[in-house]
Amino acid sequence: MTKHHVNTASKRASKRHRFEFFFLLFVFLMSSHRVVCQKFVPIDYDIMEFIPEVSFDLFLKKQLLQTGFTSRDTLTILDAAVVFDSIHFRKEGFRSKGFLKDSLPEVVFLQKEVFELDEVVLNAAVKKETFLGENSRFVRKRSNSFEREPTAGIVFFREELATINVTKLRFFVEKVQVTTNYKIKFYHCELVGSILTHNEIKIGDVFFESRVLQLEKGVKNEVIVDLESIGFSKPKSNLFVVIELVSYEDETGEVINPEPNKQTKLKYQLSKKMNYFAKMWNISTKSLTPYHININAMIRRDFNIMFKKTPHRSNLVTPAITLNGTPIK
């Protein structure tokens, strides 16, 4: 693994814990430095992401005084000279919410009411099809670039694989900015430990590997790979599934190494399962762990030990990958 690949993987691994830390720090700083001006920031409750330009209405004695929009990228601060006694927030696709001035929190949580098609993984359109994986909202800030090593992916367990004849694999990407060559790989894997203590997997030989596939510039959201036509056989063991980068190409077909913000990113979605495994960055050894840790089990355990509570659902994500096929009766 090259230095570039290690750095990319380490940054991605450390981001899994930085997300929770910085959000809590952000809330603490906001609540610890009060000024005369009223300030607030709208946050999507489900995925804990900033919501830009939310409409708000200011009222005084039930009379509308003023309307406006929250900031595009930071806190919204109202002028201390503005006199009002209540405020109402509204944005298309979200549930409206109102507060009395004295009870207005600095973090205003809004919940989605309508999901756009590119925000949720959809069920298979054909009723006779079934799928393995999850259908949930995407968390855009958790999307991660394709990698050349199997550092992160989903485990499909032997018991669930026995219920379906797999015909295709689906995954979801942010808009592709550079032509991307990649492979789908399925690895045999063995579970080690318990989700209550320390759960990891050991990766074995490759069970199945696709030919080199390509995503053209401009592709976004759902990508379907037909596995049935390329000889995917019936698995008899747990499988660790990853999307592995082969190369990037420019318009002339030359191999290039784009900047991180130009790289192709796999979407991540909210998760209720514990089948997302990834290597972590070891601060002491300055390298990735040789094993893959059950990320969501680890987060649940850490929250329980440190905070005596369950984590918010936005902390638990998984790569947006599903296996589709016909059910075995």
Side-chain angles (χ1 to χ4, degrees):
M1 188 186 302
T2 66
K3 182 178 181 180
H4 170 74
H5 302 149
V6 170
N7 288 340
T8 300
S10 66
K11 289 178 182 178
R12 190 172 66 118
S14 62
K15 184 171 68 173
R16 297 178 189 118
H17 272 173
R18 290 205 311 269
F19 178 83
E20 294 91 343
F21 172 79
F22 283 119
F23 178 75
L24 292 173
L25 179 62
F26 175 68
V27 174
F28 172 78
L29 290 174
M30 287 179 57
S31 60
S32 301
H33 294 80
R34 297 184 179 277
V35 294
V36 176
C37 297
Q38 203 90 29
K39 60 183 184 293
F40 47 83
V41 59
I43 298 290
D44 187 318
Y45 178 78
D46 293 319
I47 59 178
M48 289 296 172
E49 290 187 357
F50 174 77
I51 309 173
E53 297 184 302
V54 174
S55 299
F56 65 86
D57 306 309
L58 300 179
F59 294 86
L60 180 63
K61 297 180 180 180
K62 298 183 180 181
Q63 296 296 314
L64 178 63
L65 296 179
Q66 179 181 326
T67 62
F69 290 93
T70 60
S71 172
R72 292 183 178 181
D73 52 16
T74 187
L75 291 172
T76 297
I77 301 177
L78 296 181
D79 193 309
V82 178
V83 179
F84 68 100
D85 57 22
S86 62
I87 185 171
H88 181 258
F89 296 93
R90 52 192 169 82
K91 187 175 178 69
E92 184 177 359
F94 287 85
R95 296 174 188 170
S96 299
K97 203 166 188 178
F99 300 90
L100 294 175
K101 180 180 180 180
D102 293 340
S103 61
L104 175 62
E106 291 176 329
V107 179
V108 177
F109 291 110
L110 300 179
Q111 286 189 292
K112 265 283 189 179
E113 192 170 51
V114 178
F115 298 115
E116 299 173 7
L117 292 182
D118 67 343
E119 288 189 311
V120 62
V121 180
L122 300 178
N123 281 312
V126 182
K127 291 184 179 180
K128 291 184 178 180
E129 277 194 344
T130 188
F131 74 98
L132 301 178
E134 294 182 89
N135 293 335
S136 192
R137 289 191 63 190
F138 297 128
V139 185
R140 291 183 175 86
K141 290 183 179 179
R142 306 297 289 274
S143 298
N144 283 309
S145 300
F146 288 8
E147 294 189 84
R148 288 184 169 84
E149 300 291 335
T151 59
I154 292 182
V155 171
F156 290 99
F157 299 102
R158 177 177 60 252
E159 294 78 12
E160 59 182 346
L161 288 168
T163 67
I164 181 176
N165 288 317
V166 177
T167 59
K168 66 185 72 168
L169 178 144
R170 296 188 313 156
F171 64 95
F172 292 75
V173 294
E174 302 289 354
K175 187 174 181 179
V176 176
Q177 300 183 64
V178 180
T179 299
T180 307
N181 298 312
Y182 70 99
K183 285 185 177 183
I184 307 293
K185 284 189 178 181
F186 293 75
Y187 292 86
H188 290 289
C189 67
E190 178 185 351
L191 291 173
V192 180
S194 166
I195 60 173
L196 299 177
T197 54
H198 180 83
N199 191 208
E200 61 187 61
I201 56 170
K202 290 184 178 179
I203 304 300
D205 297 331
V206 174
F207 169 76
F208 179 84
E209 178 179 349
S210 73
R211 59 180 175 79
V212 177
L213 305 169
Q214 189 174 83
L215 294 175
E216 296 181 355
K217 183 177 179 180
V219 169
K220 63 179 180 179
N221 297 324
E222 184 182 51
V223 178
I224 298 177
V225 178
D226 186 347
L227 297 176
E228 188 175 35
S229 65
I230 53 178
F232 186 84
S233 58
K234 186 68 178 175
K236 297 181 180 180
S237 66
N238 303 322
L239 294 180
F240 180 62
V241 183
V242 297
I243 314 295
E244 289 191 14
L245 175 68
V246 175
S247 64
Y248 291 107
E249 295 180 4
D250 62 15
E251 290 79 1
T252 66
E254 291 294 321
V255 174
I256 59 173
N257 186 23
E259 294 298 317
N261 63 345
K262 296 289 186 180
Q263 294 173 3
T264 299
K265 292 179 172 57
L266 176 65
K267 288 188 176 184
Y268 276 53
Q269 60 176 324
L270 298 177
S271 176
K272 294 182 179 179
K273 296 188 176 183
M274 289 182 282
N275 61 353
Y276 165 37
F277 289 78
K279 291 185 176 183
M280 300 296 290
W281 181 249
N282 188 312
I283 298 176
S284 300
T285 63
K286 307 297 182 182
S287 63
L288 292 173
T289 56
Y291 44 80
H292 295 70
I293 296 174
N294 189 327
I295 300 298
N296 288 339
M298 178 186 67
I299 292 174
R300 287 173 184 268
R301 186 176 63 251
D302 288 352
F303 264 78
N304 183 53
I305 293 172
M306 293 188 291
F307 308 118
K308 306 301 181 185
K309 61 186 293 187
T310 57
H312 185 274
R313 63 178 308 203
S314 64
N315 297 126
L316 306 175
V317 301
T318 189
I321 300 173
T322 66
L323 295 179
N324 290 61
T326 55
I328 298 175
K329 297 182 180 179

